[in-house]
Amino acid sequence: RKEVEQDPGPFNVPEGATVAFNCTYSNSASQSFFWYRQDCRKEPKLLMSVYSSGNEDGRFTAQLNRASQYISLLIRDSKLSDSATYLCVDQAAGNKLTFGGGTRVLVKP
Amino acid sequence: SQTIHQWPATLVQPVGSPLSLECTVEGTSNPNLYWYRQAAGRGLQLLFYSVGIGQISSEVPQNLSASRPQDRQFILSSKKLLLSDSGFYLCAWSIGGDYGYTFGSGTRLTVV
């Protein structure tokens, strides 16, 4: 079983709609989680950290469910510029990040 | 502010040739440094990480090696490239804690 698993998508989203997707992790000892965004042929960039209480940054909301070992990302009022691959990341001991394979989101007019 | 530089941006190398990719970080001291590889259409695979000068940990056995000759310099090398070494190589740094990583702009390597 992969340590961090994501639905590869693509999620085809009409502009202005809401999209949400999850990521499951296998390491119950993982302490920190992140969502990264990666545009085609570019490096990943940190989108947001994921806190136990959940956190919101503008149109983006991240949630952590430790009991079921998954994190989620919700994007409201999708913009064309939100089209990207979203990488789920967990951080276990030693500050090493483990990346999921990514979920591709395509926002269409 | 901290910046990370990675070069070259693209590289085409013949099978069996050597490789040297360099990554440098500015604006911070004693960062944790990482080399990742992303094969086409695949996720990021951690290759090496370093918590200090001369300290290298290898995650995946392969024909690649890494060195950290200076605090803010991380080098990825190979003596003889294989076709399977093609991919997008990313250097990253962190200060530890819950701050995630910052990636360099990557090197796209094609072995022919």
Side-chain angles (χ1 to χ4, degrees):
Chain A
R1 181 185 173 187
K2 292 182 181 177
E3 293 182 54
V4 180
E5 291 202 65
Q6 294 183 250
D7 182 339
F11 284 64
N12 294 300
V13 185
E15 191 176 8
T18 296
V19 61
F21 40 90
N22 294 340
C23 155
T24 59
Y25 62 94
S26 60
N27 186 353
S28 59
S30 293
Q31 295 298 310
S32 304
F33 302 89
F34 307 91
W35 282 104
Y36 276 72
R37 169 193 170 127
Q38 186 173 26
D39 292 297
C40 187
R41 301 180 70 81
K42 297 289 188 180
E43 75 274 22
K45 293 185 178 179
L46 180 63
L47 179 64
M48 60 197 306
S49 302
V50 185
Y51 304 125
S52 295
S53 56
N55 54 307
E56 187 174 315
D57 183 1
R59 298 182 293 108
F60 297 83
T61 300
Q63 296 280 352
L64 167 63
N65 185 316
R66 286 195 181 275
S68 300
Q69 293 188 201
Y70 74 86
I71 68 173
S72 63
L73 181 66
L74 181 146
I75 307 173
R76 286 184 300 277
D77 187 23
S78 298
K79 310 293 184 189
L80 297 176
S81 57
D82 294 333
S83 296
T85 297
Y86 291 85
L87 304 173
C88 170
V89 187
D90 89 19
Q91 180 174 336
N95 294 315
K96 290 186 290 181
L97 299 189
T98 300
F99 287 77
T103 295
R104 191 169 172 217
V105 173
L106 296 174
V107 181
K108 300 187 175 180
Chain B
S1 63
Q2 302 88 0
T3 56
I4 178 168
H5 302 281
Q6 199 180 331
W7 66 92
T10 60
L11 193 58
V12 180
Q13 291 284 101
V15 169
S17 65
L19 173 74
S20 181
L21 302 180
E22 188 164 344
C23 169
T24 59
V25 180
E26 295 178 358
T28 187
S29 295
N30 197 30
N32 296 329
L33 296 172
Y34 308 85
W35 278 110
Y36 279 84
R37 177 172 61 199
Q38 187 174 37
R42 306 284 296 277
L44 278 78
Q45 179 186 39
L46 178 62
L47 303 175
F48 301 95
Y49 70 95
S50 171
V51 298
I53 296 175
Q55 300 178 61
I56 308 294
S57 295
S58 174
E59 290 293 301
V60 181
Q62 61 225 320
N63 70 324
L64 299 171
S65 62
S67 62
R68 185 170 177 173
Q70 300 181 48
D71 181 43
R72 291 169 288 178
Q73 183 184 29
F74 205 21
I75 298 172
L76 183 70
S77 304
S78 174
K79 292 182 179 178
K80 288 186 177 181
L81 285 169
L82 307 172
L83 287 174
S84 57
D85 291 325
S86 294
F88 191 35
Y89 287 83
L90 291 153
C91 179
W93 74 273
S94 78
I95 58 171
D98 297 342
Y99 299 100
Y101 294 1
T102 299
F103 285 88
S105 54
T107 295
R108 197 161 299 278
L109 172 67
T110 304
V111 182
V112 296

